[in-house]
Amino acid sequence: MSLDIPDVVIQRLPQYLRSLRAFKNKDIALVSSTNLGAESGVTPAQIRKDLSYFGKFGKQGQGYNVEALTNDLTRILGLDQSWPVILLGVGRLGKAILTYPDFTPEGFYIVSAFDSDPVIVGTKVASITIKPVEQIKTYIRDNNIKIAILAVPGDSAVNLIDEIVQAGVKGILNYAPITPKVPENVQIQNIDPVHSLQTMTFHLSEINSNPNN
Amino acid sequence: MSLDIPDVVIQRLPQYLRSLRAFKNKDIALVSSTNLGAESGVTPAQIRKDLSYFGKFGKQGQGYNVEALTNDLTRILGLDQSWPVILLGVGRLGKAILTYPDFTPEGFYIVSAFDSDPVIVGTKVASITIKPVEQIKTYIRDNNIKIAILAVPGDSAVNLIDEIVQAGVKGILNYAPITPKVPENVQIQNIDPVHSLQTMTFHLSEINSNPNN
């Protein structure tokens, strides 16, 4: 498979997958790129272009087979396996993440959680006993962990990222309000509500400065 | 100002702003696009292109004045004003959002929070008394609220979005695990950790299937 697939394309695939499942739930077996586009909020042309990176899907004039495309996208996205995940930082946000109901149905299992606060270490959240952060590297190596969720303050995040990457983590879901640099073979996705709000206020300010809008 | 600025460009501006502040904190007054690129993780050419949408910044061979560009981006992003924000849904995630320390320094103030659960309504989190969700439309109208953060389950989200948009909300930060359709003049940013993880596993599967990587 080509490694030259643009990131924006890959980022749209989970949305297509979700839309396909919505069709499946409605017992719809075939969809056109127009149907899929209406459900995903992406133009039909873009969908056809995105999918063309991965081979030939759908038949001219017949549309896509919902089940087949669901299976293909599941496999392409690596979701035909389950992924053990560790959580670093069990403050308020970490606790919310530990009890988030939508990871497990998608194959992401939080198998262990770590904190530096001795008051938190040893307590139990959602049936997981919080371990001391000092054990993190050993745990990653012993359990071949590839994905970590980071819910620590910005100032502790940078060092922690170095440590877990050294120990073998290849994918980081980062909630710390920083944009860390990671080696090229490590994936990082930053979840940053302030960035998201700032992107919106750009547009809201335009509305404000144009009362006709 | 042109309305044809690509969303990806706007989404990078908060990152440039954060990088500029990092330079300012180090008392650096002038930066090249190479410096700014190294700090932001964006190529210098992309930075020059992104900024060119908004006018002429920096002088050939001199780089950007950190303070001036900070002020310009702050204004462009609408961050020279403060934004009252309401929160819908005060479960575990909502509580973490209410106590999130990074909104206020950026000019985002959570001024009120709403829930449908009578056990939660009337309680106080981070000095905010939770109001019943029935009051939401009146509150939005009376207080001219433009931004809402949604931290409710997916099945309640769709109806709530209709209500708050009717009442005048123009920007939604959505934590519900759905990708709702909104009118064209409404901004929505979806924060979806499962999507983010699924984007990573695409790459991690490639690594898995190629042991030389």
Side-chain angles (χ1 to χ4, degrees), chain B residues 138-156:
Chain B
T138 316
Y139 188 92
I140 290 168
R141 288 193 182 116
D142 289 354
N143 297 279
N144 194 26
I145 300 293
K146 296 292 171 208
I147 302 180
I149 301 179
L150 211 64
V152 299
D155 48 4
S156 354

Side-chain angles (χ1 to χ4, degrees), chain B residues 186-206:
Chain B
V186 175
Q187 304 298 317
I188 187 157
Q189 291 276 325
N190 300 303
I191 292 200
D192 190 329
V194 170
H195 267 206
S196 300
L197 285 171
Q198 290 176 336
T199 309
M200 293 198 293
T201 50
F202 169 81
H203 296 284
L204 297 180
S205 303
E206 285 193 324

Side-chain angles (χ1 to χ4, degrees), chain A residues 1-3 5 7-8 10-11 13-15 17-18 21 38-41 54 75-81 83 85 92-93 95-96 99-100 102-103 106 108 125 146-149 170-173 175-179 181 185-208 213, chain B residues 1-3 5 7-8 10-11 13-15 17-18 21 38-41 54 75-81 83 85 92-93 95-96 99-100 102-103 106 108 125 146-149 170-173 175-179 181 185-208 213:
Chain A
M1 188 181 297
S2 164
L3 286 165
I5 299 161
D7 266 354
V8 286
I10 297 159
Q11 280 161 22
L13 299 184
Q15 180 53 42
L17 189 55
R18 180 178 288 172
R21 288 185 191 152
E39 182 72 29
S40 316
F54 304 95
R75 186 184 41 75
I76 288 168
L77 285 168
L79 303 173
D80 49 352
Q81 49 188 304
W83 294 91
V85 175
R92 268 183 198 270
L93 176 60
K95 284 197 181 79
T99 54
Y100 187 73
D102 294 318
F103 290 131
E106 300 289 343
F108 298 102
V125 181
K146 296 293 170 207
I147 302 180
I149 302 179
K170 299 283 183 199
I172 299 168
L173 185 64
Y175 283 88
I178 54 162
T179 313
K181 294 171 195 84
N185 66 339
V186 174
Q187 305 297 318
I188 189 159
Q189 292 275 327
N190 300 303
I191 292 200
D192 189 330
V194 169
H195 268 205
S196 301
L197 285 170
Q198 289 176 336
T199 309
M200 291 198 294
T201 49
F202 169 81
H203 296 283
L204 297 180
S205 303
E206 285 193 325
I207 292 169
N208 279 349
N213 209 318
Chain B
M1 187 180 298
S2 164
L3 285 166
I5 299 161
D7 266 354
V8 286
I10 297 159
Q11 280 162 22
L13 300 183
Q15 181 53 43
L17 189 55
R18 180 179 286 171
R21 287 184 190 153
E39 181 73 28
S40 317
F54 304 96
R75 185 183 41 75
I76 287 167
L77 284 168
L79 303 173
D80 50 351
Q81 50 188 303
W83 294 91
V85 175
R92 270 183 197 270
L93 177 62
K95 284 198 181 78
T99 54
Y100 187 71
D102 294 317
F103 289 132
E106 300 289 343
F108 298 102
V125 181
K146 296 292 171 208
I147 302 180
I149 301 179
K170 297 284 184 201
I172 299 168
L173 185 63
Y175 282 87
I178 53 162
T179 313
K181 296 174 193 82
N185 65 339
V186 175
Q187 304 298 317
I188 187 157
Q189 291 276 325
N190 300 303
I191 292 200
D192 190 329
V194 170
H195 267 206
S196 300
L197 285 171
Q198 290 176 336
T199 309
M200 293 198 293
T201 50
F202 169 81
H203 296 284
L204 297 180
S205 303
E206 285 193 324
I207 292 170
N208 280 348
N213 208 317

Side-chain angles (χ1 to χ4, degrees), chain A residues 82-151:
Chain A
S82 64
W83 294 91
V85 175
I86 56 169
L87 171 71
L88 315 191
V90 195
R92 268 183 198 270
L93 176 60
K95 284 197 181 79
I97 291 168
L98 270 177
T99 54
Y100 187 73
D102 294 318
F103 290 131
T104 306
E106 300 289 343
F108 298 102
Y109 295 88
I110 300 184
V111 290
S112 199
F114 300 83
D115 204 283
S116 60
D117 184 343
V119 175
I120 293 174
V121 170
T123 63
K124 221 170 171 173
V125 181
S127 82
I128 285 175
T129 305
I130 315 306
K131 294 188 175 67
V133 73
E134 291 75 19
Q135 295 179 10
I136 213 165
K137 288 172 84 164
T138 315
Y139 188 92
I140 290 169
R141 286 193 183 117
D142 290 353
N143 297 280
N144 194 25
I145 300 293
K146 296 293 170 207
I147 302 180
I149 302 179
L150 210 63

Side-chain angles (χ1 to χ4, degrees), chain A residues 1-2 4-6 9 48-55 57:
Chain A
M1 188 181 297
S2 164
D4 295 334
I5 299 161
V9 173
R48 290 193 297 268
K49 196 178 161 197
D50 286 355
L51 293 179
S52 74
Y53 281 101
F54 304 95
F57 299 101

